[in-house]
Amino acid sequence: MKKKKALVFGITGQDGSYLAELLLNKNYLVYGVKRRTSLIHTTRIDHIYKDFHLKTNLILKYGDVTDFSNVFRLINEIKPDEIYNLAAQSNVGVSFELAEYTAQTDSIGTLRILEAIRIIDTKRKMKFYQASTSEIFGNSPDKPYNEKSKFEPVSPYGTAKLYSYWTTRNYRDAYSMFASNGILFNHESPRRGENFISRKVIIGIIKILKGHQKCLYLGNLKSKRDWGHAKEFVDAQWKILQYKFPDDFVIATGKNYSVKDLVNLVLKKLKIKFLWKKDKKGYEYAIAKNDIGQIKKSQIIIKQEKIYFRPNEVHNLVGDYRKATKLLKWKPKIKFDRLISEMIDSDLKNII
Ligand code: NAP
Ligand code: GDD
């Protein structure tokens, strides 16, 4: 039987690497788009090359969603059955500094892919997945958020992604394309980028424990997120494209925790006793209450620092994934506590 072909924009990222594994295990021929960088940055997918069966079905191509001729040529040459657009400047904090670039990638990048599909795939056979996000809900009032909730994004990233969400819907309706949005809430893993909060906290605290740094500097500790495991969330991405109709789905765990809960959990799991205090300006800091590893009792180990606060913040995200359970038979199994343990175990091995 002819293998299905998938084209993954953003294959070098956290989700791209798990999605590549999933598709290869389902016997797809996977084309992945990687960017030209001065240093090789395929570490998240390098392990695939150790397995002969998997490696022969993975083909990497240079590309960038800011380059229409490249996007068009790739889709025209490969003629994939499924296209996953995971490519994005995905850091919300950074999007305030790189607003125009974020729009070029996260908004117009999606438009370029959809336009290319519209022109090339006249028989409407290709399926398109857009990596949408809970950030499009922003600070909208009615929680938990579902597919009918109001959108109120509050960052350049959120607005750029909202453009892509609507463009995906419009192309579906206007041109009868199989174009779906997965509205995914935060999802983490040992492969999470190091400047997202879960990985930053885990790496930072392990480094303090091992004596590589003294203190970890953070921003807003009050915001809440609905954190799931990336491995389970890419399964939902694939299921969204296997559903009989193109549609939009919230993918979440339905439970949320504050950034401070996350920090407290990591400290507890690493057996560091601590006490939170506030300085004169109202910034919080945590001091160690025991000697452990290279940490000395009374050492300030966590401190809030102005530069890590964002100009605007999404305060509280929590999702209602019942539609995905009903129509896709998707349900998250991995709980927050287990996710964090897995990430800690992995980084304890990485950091010597
Ligand atoms: P990630 O680790 O930051 O990966 C992003 C990927 O996009 C990387 O492969 C990156 O390449 C690539 N990329 C960036 N700019 C590009 C461009 N101009 N052209 C082509 N590729 C480009 O993000 P992730 O966590 O895997 O998330 C995957 C997608 O889901 C993103 O679109 C993100 O916005 C969205 N999302 C993520 C979450 C989450 O919690 N993880 C939740 C909702 C939605 P490099 O490796 O070269 O940088
Ligand atoms: N990154 C970071 N660094 N975040 C911090 C820090 C810090 O030093 N200190 C506090 N935070 C807070 C942020 O202000 C935010 O409220 C929360 O930690 C989570 O931040 P991130 O891990 O950067 O994730 P995010 O929620 O902003 O965005 C992620 O999830 C979205 C889905 O809701 C990203 O993966 C997006 O791509 C994704 O769309």
Side-chain angles (χ1 to χ4, degrees), residues 299-316:
Q299 183 179 331
I300 296 178
I301 45 175
I302 317 276
K303 214 166 181 280
Q304 283 189 304
E305 178 67 51
K306 203 173 166 202
I307 55 162
Y308 293 113
F309 284 81
R310 297 170 182 180
N312 209 347
E313 178 68 280
V314 171
H315 303 297
N316 186 352

Side-chain angles (χ1 to χ4, degrees), residues 6 21 28 34 46 97 103 105 134 150 173 183 197 200 232 270 290 308 342:
E21 284 169 10
Y28 277 69
K34 63 170 179 178
D46 284 345
E97 308 288 326
T105 307
S134 44
K150 225 176 125 209
D173 296 339
I183 309 172
I197 193 70
K200 180 174 170 179
E232 291 191 322
L270 290 168
N290 57 337
Y308 293 113
E342 187 188 325

Side-chain angles (χ1 to χ4, degrees), residues 12-15 35 41 64-65 86 88 90 157 161 184 187:
T12 55
Q14 171 188 253
D15 289 12
R35 297 197 284 179
H41 72 312
D64 198 301
V65 295
L86 310 181
S90 70
Y157 171 82
K161 283 283 190 176
L184 272 55
H187 46 280

Side-chain angles (χ1 to χ4, degrees), residues 108-319:
I108 311 300
T110 312
L111 179 71
R112 291 184 186 101
I113 299 173
L114 285 164
E115 265 299 287
I117 300 172
R118 182 173 79 87
I119 299 165
I120 295 163
D121 179 35
T122 50
K123 294 201 173 123
R124 299 286 177 261
K125 289 203 163 135
M126 290 179 193
K127 294 181 175 183
F128 173 75
Y129 172 84
Q130 169 57 19
S132 190
T133 162
S134 44
E135 278 286 311
I136 64 176
F137 297 120
N139 288 323
S140 169
D142 305 315
K143 288 179 236 325
Y145 299 124
N146 63 33
E147 294 77 5
K148 295 199 172 96
S149 299
K150 225 176 125 209
F151 304 125
E152 275 184 30
V154 294
S155 67
Y157 171 82
T159 53
K161 283 283 190 176
L162 185 54
Y163 172 92
S164 284
Y165 166 88
W166 275 115
T167 305
T168 300
R169 284 189 64 165
N170 289 341
Y171 272 61
R172 171 164 90 213
D173 296 339
Y175 307 118
S176 306
M177 286 168 52
F178 195 112
S180 300
N181 285 293
I183 309 172
L184 272 55
F185 283 63
N186 297 50
H187 46 280
E188 322 291 309
S189 73
R191 298 182 198 169
R192 184 58 146 153
E194 294 178 10
N195 53 5
F196 295 96
I197 193 70
S198 59
R199 200 79 199 290
K200 180 174 170 179
V201 166
I202 290 168
I203 290 177
I205 296 175
I206 293 176
K207 282 190 174 168
I208 297 170
L209 196 59
K210 301 209 174 190
H212 301 313
Q213 70 184 59
K214 290 273 179 234
C215 182
L216 171 66
Y217 297 92
L218 299 174
N220 183 8
L221 300 174
K222 288 193 186 128
S223 55
K224 289 176 136 192
R225 293 292 183 269
D226 177 336
W227 278 294
H229 197 303
K231 203 170 180 178
E232 291 191 322
F233 279 41
V234 300
D235 186 40
Q237 297 175 357
W238 176 77
K239 283 190 159 150
I240 287 171
L241 288 199
Q242 311 317 307
Y243 187 56
K244 52 189 176 218
F245 307 115
D247 205 342
D248 307 316
F249 294 91
V250 160
I251 302 297
T253 73
K255 289 217 157 51
N256 65 359
Y257 301 87
S258 70
V259 173
K260 202 173 185 179
D261 293 335
L262 165 75
V263 176
N264 290 345
L265 182 65
V266 176
L267 288 169
K268 196 171 145 222
K269 283 188 182 286
L270 290 168
K271 304 201 169 15
I272 302 166
K273 297 207 169 73
F274 57 94
L275 182 71
W276 284 103
K277 294 193 167 190
K278 260 190 196 165
D279 70 11
K280 282 184 208 144
K281 288 183 180 156
Y283 289 129
E284 293 195 71
Y285 60 97
I287 56 170
K289 280 176 61 190
N290 57 337
D291 286 335
I292 178 164
Q294 298 299 311
I295 296 174
K296 296 279 166 267
K297 193 174 170 187
S298 302
Q299 183 179 331
I300 296 178
I301 45 175
I302 317 276
K303 214 166 181 280
Q304 283 189 304
E305 178 67 51
K306 203 173 166 202
I307 55 162
Y308 293 113
F309 284 81
R310 297 170 182 180
N312 209 347
E313 178 68 280
V314 171
H315 303 297
N316 186 352
L317 287 175
V318 63

Side-chain angles (χ1 to χ4, degrees), residues 28-40:
Y28 277 69
L29 188 56
V30 177
Y31 291 83
V33 179
K34 63 170 179 178
R35 297 197 284 179
R36 189 270 156 184
T37 45
S38 65
L39 285 173
I40 292 169

